[in-house]
Amino acid sequence: MKKNHSSFKKIGLIIALLLFNLGFSQNETNPVVDTTKTTKLEDIVITGVANPKAKIKSSVSITTMDVKQVEQSAPRSTAEIFRSIPGIRSESSGGEGNSNISVRGVPISSGGSKYLQIQEDGLPVLLFGDIAFATADIFTRFDGNTAKIEAIRGGSASTLSSNSPGGIINFISKTGKTEGGMVRTSFGLDYNNFRTDVDYGTKIGEGLYFHAGGFYRAGEGVRKTGVTSNNGGQVKFNLTKEFENGKITVYAKFLNDRAAAYMPMPVKVTGTNSNPSWGSVSGYDATTGALQSIYLNHNVGLGPDGQLRRESVADGMNPVSKSIGVNASFDLEGGWKITENGRYSSNSGGFIAPFPAEVGSAAAIAASFGAGSKLTYADSGTPFNNPNGLVSRIHMFDTQLNDLSNFMNDLRITKKFDKIGITAGYFKSLQNISTSWLWNSYLQEVSDNNPRLINVTNATGTLLSDNGLYAYGTPAWGNLARNYDTQYNVSAPYVNLSFDATENLSFEGGLRYDLGKVSGSFAGGTSRAYDINNNGTISVPEQNVFAVNTANETAVNYDYDYVSYTLGANYLLTAKQSLFARYSKGAAAKADRILFSGLDYLDGSKINALDFLTQAELGYKLKFPKGYAYATAFHSKTDEQAGYEASTNSFIKNNYKSYGLEIESSYNVMDNFNLKGAFTYTKAEITSGDNDGNEPRRQPKLMYNLMPTYNFSSNKNTVGLSFIGQTKAYAQDSNQLVMNGFVIVNAFVEVGITKGLSVNLSGNNLFDTLAITESEEGNITNNAVNYVRARPMPGRSISMALSYKF
């Protein structure tokens, strides 16, 4: 490892020196040609900093994306947007949410975005980014209301937001101060999807302006589910009043959307663990297939109150959010400034998706029910005869999101004393986590064309299943009927100091104290006989119906606390280049992931409620006449305790360290041709446990993106490509099965028809690349045909959009 660190330092030093020399070799009096306005070093940064400041003067690594940049990357989900941000690993194969997002080699240990906070207008969407089946990206949508996205990695994130030691991604809304709007209708050319976006903002009085907008869409989506899987939309509104000494904004949001959740699916692997060949199973295309089916429309069982319930599988991820908030800032006498940002969100909904707990041969699946058992199609009663001979044991992840409501408030006061700036703030949050796991088990054939359900009959002719359902519960996993009903009350005072030592040298430091109080209860399951289908007969599955045991709850009442700190320095080498250094430490608290693990939930000292992250970074920022370049070398250390992961039915506990280099650049090759790109090199290692010395699962050494764009015909038309790729990674921490590297190629062309009116043609994954982002299995049998459960990126999709901007 010492040799590797030495090589890394040499590479980082060489790159930094090259960029440094490039900065001094440019004529700084030349005008800057920059087709992407929001990437200028003079742009003001508001995310993860105590006071807004220009990028070149901030000692943080930050990326800004405006609406045009996002559209040019041709994303099909919110998480796909994040793939263009250096340092961010976004496994966007789960659909419109439920994505795994990490930063700088920090592990994905339990799904979601554990160490990275997703925000809207400076406040977290959810207090925790890794709530099981309720990740923050499920409740976040990108549409015409967004002015830009700011993403910081490391830096002061740990001291200016809770549970965000790795970074912050902030969706910043338009305000209407600049009059204008857009109507945009898009639809799939080779898949079923239709979406309309509308937004408009303007001044409506002296110092008074508003913005409103939203979207609605309906369609099957990019995978073949057989139903209208994507159905819903969002509406947002804000009203701003400016005063002589400040302003106040009142804003609201209503989100009610449905989107298919894509779980791991059957994939064929041959070759060896170290040199595998990944491909589609016969009869199941991994780039277009889905486990959803018209034959499995509903999941029926007993709800958390013991009453019959019936959930539509087509609802998929169904976030419902009603938010109202206020953001105010005022300059007071004596150089004081006060800022208040508060929001209440009523969040609820559901998450339902078929998960393959096992994929095996029909003979093996039948034998698991006893010798002589036979499989037949549930809809016809005919013997199972799928040519590939494969059957999936489906666990229906049917989770009610009863109440995920939260209140977020950030109050801060700022004062500048000559060269010293002081910011004192107080963050308050109440986050409810009330969810119910109501899972059942089915048998389903492996097919990408509305897979049929399968019944099983034992050797004596007794039917062991009802229309493909063989258990009201998940007996293979110990029957995980669960109910969570907890509240997390967090108070976090913080202070930030800045010191302008000279005109070019500045220092910044921050300290934050998070105190969490957790209360509530949780309950497991119990079984009883119940006539679910009301036919007067207790079938075999109905003899053992699992449901939440409300009479046997476990009380939760404990506290946790942690201190976060950061120290950074920025040095302006010239007006257009700077160096910065930063050291920070913070933590991410665990919520529902540590319940049901047999701990003493009445004593915080006996609970592994915190995971700590320490980061060091050294960065260089350069702006030259035809573009910009940022380079940041980083090192991180993660001390992590066990957290539950539902898909593997296990607790993940490891410590990690990583180091690497981020480079982001944009260059105007000529007046009409821009080349933008980024790459991240990461060397990560597990430093404890059974896998000590191995690489963390799913962590590639190199991630990169490249986006050339060309404007033609008097800049009214644009054509561009997007290359997003990564090198190979291991499927699991055991470092056996390799997931191959891949490159996803996207393209777009936008043609102006007349003033304000344009048409856009976009293609995603043009070469239909099979890109695997995760695998449940960590090893295969070498030189044999293996069937594993893996989650690939969707295949090729082509869409068209007609837009009118006014």
Side-chain angles (χ1 to χ4, degrees):
M1 292 304 299
K2 290 182 179 179
K3 183 177 179 180
N4 289 338
H5 277 288
S6 177
S7 299
F8 165 71
K9 291 177 181 178
K10 292 178 181 178
I11 294 171
L13 180 60
I14 291 171
I15 293 175
L17 288 172
L18 288 173
L19 293 172
F20 183 79
N21 290 331
L22 177 60
F24 278 114
S25 67
Q26 303 294 331
N27 182 353
E28 303 215 9
T29 62
N30 290 340
V32 174
V33 180
D34 193 347
T35 60
T36 311
K37 294 181 180 179
T38 57
T39 53
K40 293 180 179 178
L41 286 179
E42 292 84 356
D43 281 352
I44 301 301
V45 176
I46 65 175
T47 301
V49 294
N51 289 292
K53 60 177 63 178
K55 279 187 180 180
I56 197 169
K57 296 182 179 179
S58 63
S59 54
V60 295
S61 181
I62 187 163
T63 297
T64 307
M65 301 179 68
D66 65 6
V67 175
K68 180 61 69 175
Q69 288 174 269
V70 172
E71 291 175 349
Q72 290 176 350
S73 66
R76 292 172 293 194
S77 67
T78 300
E80 284 195 357
I81 299 172
F82 305 154
R83 296 183 306 178
S84 299
I85 302 172
I88 302 293
R89 176 161 58 100
S90 180
E91 298 176 357
S92 52
S93 53
E96 190 62 36
N98 194 39
S99 302
N100 299 320
I101 306 169
S102 68
V103 57
R104 290 179 171 175
V106 176
I108 294 177
S109 54
S110 56
S113 55
K114 178 176 179 60
Y115 298 95
L116 184 142
Q117 192 69 265
I118 297 177
Q119 297 185 347
E120 288 185 324
D121 294 314
L123 291 174
V125 175
L126 297 173
L127 184 62
F128 305 94
D130 65 337
I131 301 172
F133 306 104
T135 54
D137 63 324
I138 291 179
F139 286 86
T140 308
R141 295 290 183 270
F142 175 84
D143 61 15
N145 292 290
T146 303
K148 62 179 178 177
I149 298 172
E150 288 185 349
I152 73 168
R153 285 84 66 194
S156 52
S158 60
T159 60
L160 291 171
S161 187
S162 296
N163 302 321
S164 61
I168 298 171
I169 299 176
N170 187 18
F171 288 71
I172 301 171
S173 299
K174 296 176 182 177
T175 63
K177 192 169 185 178
T178 300
E179 182 179 6
M182 179 194 68
V183 177
R184 178 184 179 94
T185 297
S186 59
F187 51 91
L189 295 180
D190 59 350
Y191 66 101
N192 182 0
N193 196 70
F194 187 89
R195 170 169 168 158
T196 295
D197 288 69
V198 178
D199 78 278
Y200 178 68
T202 188
K203 180 179 179 180
I204 57 177
E206 186 61 32
L208 183 65
Y209 41 95
F210 87 100
H211 187 272
F215 76 91
Y216 192 88
R217 52 88 182 271
E220 184 179 21
V222 294
R223 290 186 176 274
K224 297 183 295 184
T225 63
V227 295
T228 302
S229 301
N230 298 336
N231 189 7
Q234 174 176 267
V235 175
K236 298 179 76 174
F237 171 85
N238 61 62
L239 182 68
T240 301
K241 173 62 178 177
E242 290 184 334
F243 303 93
E244 184 177 347
N245 65 330
K247 65 178 180 179
I248 183 170
T249 299
V250 178
Y251 56 94
K253 161 185 162 180
F254 175 67
L255 168 68
N256 189 344
D257 195 20
R258 291 171 175 81
Y262 305 129
M263 294 286 104
M265 52 195 66
V267 177
K268 183 175 71 174
V269 188
T270 57
T272 64
N273 279 295
S274 60
N275 187 28
S277 177
W278 295 76
S280 293
V281 174
S282 175
Y284 192 99
D285 190 326
T287 63
T288 61
L291 300 175
Q292 287 84 352
S293 170
I294 60 172
Y295 295 103
L296 184 51
N297 289 316
H298 297 91
N299 188 53
V300 182
L302 296 180
D305 55 0
Q307 301 299 310
L308 271 176
R309 64 183 291 274
R310 186 170 184 261
E311 189 70 22
S312 173
V313 178
D315 284 349
M317 294 176 285
N318 178 207
V320 179
S321 181
K322 306 168 187 176
S323 299
I324 185 168
V326 59
N327 191 332
S329 61
F330 290 93
D331 296 320
L332 309 179
E333 293 183 356
W336 290 91
K337 180 177 181 178
I338 185 170
T339 302
E340 158 70 13
N341 193 6
R343 185 191 67 223
Y344 172 76
S345 297
S346 175
N347 299 320
S348 59
F351 183 107
I352 181 168
F355 177 88
E358 179 185 1
V359 175
S361 68
I365 295 293
S368 69
F369 288 88
S373 296
K374 298 180 180 180
L375 303 181
T376 58
Y377 286 110
D379 61 319
S380 65
T382 58
F384 171 81
N385 63 355
N386 190 312
N388 62 32
L390 297 177
V391 174
S392 291
R393 190 187 301 272
I394 296 294
H395 286 175
M396 186 61 70
F397 282 175
D398 185 355
T399 303
Q400 284 186 194
L401 308 182
N402 305 312
D403 184 8
L404 291 164
S405 300
N406 59 51
F407 170 72
M408 306 282 180
N409 195 88
D410 194 341
L411 174 67
R412 61 182 65 173
I413 299 175
T414 303
K415 169 70 174 177
K416 186 70 181 289
F417 299 92
D418 192 18
K419 295 183 177 183
I420 299 176
I422 300 177
T423 297
Y426 191 89
F427 174 79
K428 183 68 176 181
S429 177
L430 295 173
Q431 175 70 63
N432 294 332
I433 299 182
S434 177
T435 63
S436 302
W437 295 14
L438 310 165
W439 301 358
N440 291 336
S441 300
Y442 301 82
L443 293 182
Q444 184 183 72
E445 68 174 342
V446 172
S447 170
D448 62 8
N449 184 22
N450 286 312
R452 298 159 70 185
L453 295 173
I454 297 171
N455 277 334
V456 57
T457 305
N458 67 14
T460 64
T462 301
L463 187 64
L464 303 182
S465 58
D466 294 333
N467 194 34
L469 182 149
Y470 70 86
Y472 288 98
T474 52
W477 288 355
N479 290 302
L480 299 178
R482 292 183 171 185
N483 192 79
Y484 298 80
D485 192 8
T486 50
Q487 183 181 77
Y488 299 80
N489 186 334
V490 172
S491 303
Y494 60 91
V495 62
N496 190 87
L497 300 177
S498 62
F499 173 56
D500 297 328
T502 67
E503 185 177 348
N504 295 330
L505 178 62
S506 62
F507 295 93
E508 182 186 19
L511 190 66
R512 181 186 184 95
Y513 175 64
D514 275 77
L515 173 63
K517 294 183 176 294
V518 186
S519 60
S521 63
F522 62 91
T526 187
S527 69
R528 57 170 165 151
Y530 195 97
D531 186 11
I532 295 290
N533 58 19
N534 291 310
N535 67 352
T537 302
I538 300 296
S539 65
V540 172
E542 290 174 337
Q543 295 173 9
N544 195 30
V545 177
F546 264 79
V548 174
N549 185 2
T550 56
N552 187 22
E553 295 183 338
T554 299
V556 176
N557 190 359
Y558 68 89
D559 298 344
Y560 67 84
D561 64 277
Y562 65 91
V563 175
S564 304
Y565 60 86
T566 185
L567 180 63
N570 191 83
Y571 183 69
L572 283 172
L573 300 168
T574 69
K576 296 181 180 179
Q577 58 182 327
S578 64
L579 288 171
F580 75 89
R582 172 78 67 164
Y583 185 84
S584 57
K585 183 177 182 179
K590 289 190 283 285
D592 57 315
R593 299 282 183 173
I594 55 172
L595 303 181
F596 292 96
S597 15
L599 303 176
D600 182 355
Y601 297 101
L602 302 180
D603 187 346
S605 66
K606 298 179 181 179
I607 294 178
N608 53 329
L610 301 171
D611 297 321
F612 290 91
L613 174 62
T614 304
Q615 291 192 81
E617 50 195 314
L618 176 65
Y620 175 68
K621 300 176 183 179
L622 165 69
K623 185 167 185 180
F624 45 91
K626 291 188 176 183
Y628 67 90
Y630 311 151
T632 305
F634 60 86
H635 179 272
S636 67
K637 179 183 177 182
T638 309
D639 295 319
E640 185 173 82
Q641 300 298 313
Y644 182 75
E645 182 181 56
S647 62
T648 58
N649 194 29
S650 62
F651 290 88
I652 307 297
K653 177 182 179 179
N654 276 317
N655 293 329
Y656 309 81
K657 66 179 179 181
S658 66
Y659 62 88
L661 180 68
E662 300 168 354
I663 292 183
E664 178 183 4
S665 183
S666 178
Y667 180 66
N668 292 314
V669 181
M670 58 183 68
D671 288 344
N672 297 326
F673 181 43
N674 175 262
L675 186 61
K676 188 183 291 88
F679 85 83
T680 305
Y681 170 79
T682 306
K683 177 69 170 105
E685 181 184 348
I686 301 171
T687 58
S688 67
D690 296 337
N691 298 304
D692 188 4
N694 287 356
E695 297 178 21
R697 60 178 181 165
R698 312 199 310 249
Q699 176 62 60
K701 283 189 170 65
L702 182 65
M703 301 182 296
Y704 55 92
N705 65 79
L706 185 66
M707 185 185 298
T709 56
Y710 179 71
N711 298 322
F712 59 99
S713 186
S714 301
N715 291 330
K716 291 182 179 180
N717 308 317
T718 307
V719 62
L721 292 170
S722 171
F723 303 88
I724 299 174
Q726 66 178 55
T727 55
K728 67 180 182 180
Y730 287 110
Q732 296 293 340
D733 291 343
S734 58
N735 284 191
Q736 294 174 280
L737 179 59
V738 168
M739 300 187 301
N740 297 333
F742 59 83
V743 181
I744 300 292
V745 181
N746 308 321
F748 77 93
V749 57
E750 185 167 349
V751 178
I753 300 173
T754 187
K755 183 178 180 181
L757 183 65
S758 64
V759 62
N760 180 288
L761 182 67
S762 295
N764 202 301
N765 196 358
L766 291 179
F767 297 102
D768 213 25
T769 299
L770 179 59
I772 305 296
T773 66
E774 64 177 85
S775 171
E776 300 301 307
E777 282 76 19
N779 63 82
I780 60 172
T781 301
N782 289 336
N783 302 312
V785 176
N786 299 266
Y787 299 106
V788 304
R789 299 160 299 153
R791 203 163 76 169
M793 295 288 292
R796 179 172 48 248
S797 61
I798 310 295
S799 63
M800 180 174 286
L802 186 67
S803 303
Y804 177 61
K805 297 180 180 179
F806 54 93

